[in-house]
Amino acid sequence: FIISYFLSDDSILVHEPPLKNSGISGGRFLERTKIKKPNHPPYSTQLPEYFNYKDFYVGAHLLLNNFHFILLDADEYCYNFMEKNPDMFPNSNIQ
């Protein structure tokens, strides 16, 4: 699965790339939308907390709409962005 996070509006898109000769056609797994964090009471009067950029780092365990994901890698643009903004991404800062 490929998880795309959009910093502009905190939305998330999950899609599965097609694999040749696997019988799986791939495609969108979760449409682009903001996703609530798990363990929020369903009928609470408090505003729900949504996933944001602080939740996305290599090695993070995410529960997106009751599906478990582990982030194993990121693209070069993400790595460069995190290195240029270490105050925003404390889990990517070696210090």
Side-chain angles (χ1 to χ4, degrees):
F1 290 96
I2 297 175
I3 299 175
S4 300
Y5 173 77
F6 299 90
L7 192 59
S8 61
D9 62 355
D10 292 331
S11 61
I12 300 166
L13 168 71
V14 181
H15 75 276
E16 185 175 12
L19 297 174
K20 291 184 179 183
N21 298 327
S22 69
I24 299 172
S25 60
R28 288 204 172 132
F29 185 75
L30 291 173
E31 292 287 331
R32 181 177 173 178
T33 187
K34 290 177 76 168
I35 299 177
K36 295 177 189 175
K37 289 187 175 181
N39 302 327
H40 183 76
Y43 301 108
S44 174
T45 57
Q46 297 176 356
L47 293 175
E49 190 176 349
Y50 292 93
F51 283 98
N52 62 33
Y53 66 90
K54 295 177 185 175
D55 301 309
F56 290 85
Y57 54 90
V58 175
H61 291 254
L62 302 172
L63 183 62
L64 305 175
N65 291 350
N66 291 325
F67 293 98
H68 293 271
F69 294 96
I70 301 172
L71 297 183
L72 301 176
D73 200 3
D75 62 8
E76 194 64 30
Y77 179 83
C78 289
Y79 286 129
N80 288 333
F81 187 81
M82 287 188 292
E83 287 176 3
K84 290 178 183 175
N85 300 288
D87 54 321
M88 289 177 63
F89 301 96
N91 289 327
S92 67
N93 187 354
I94 197 164
Q95 282 80 20

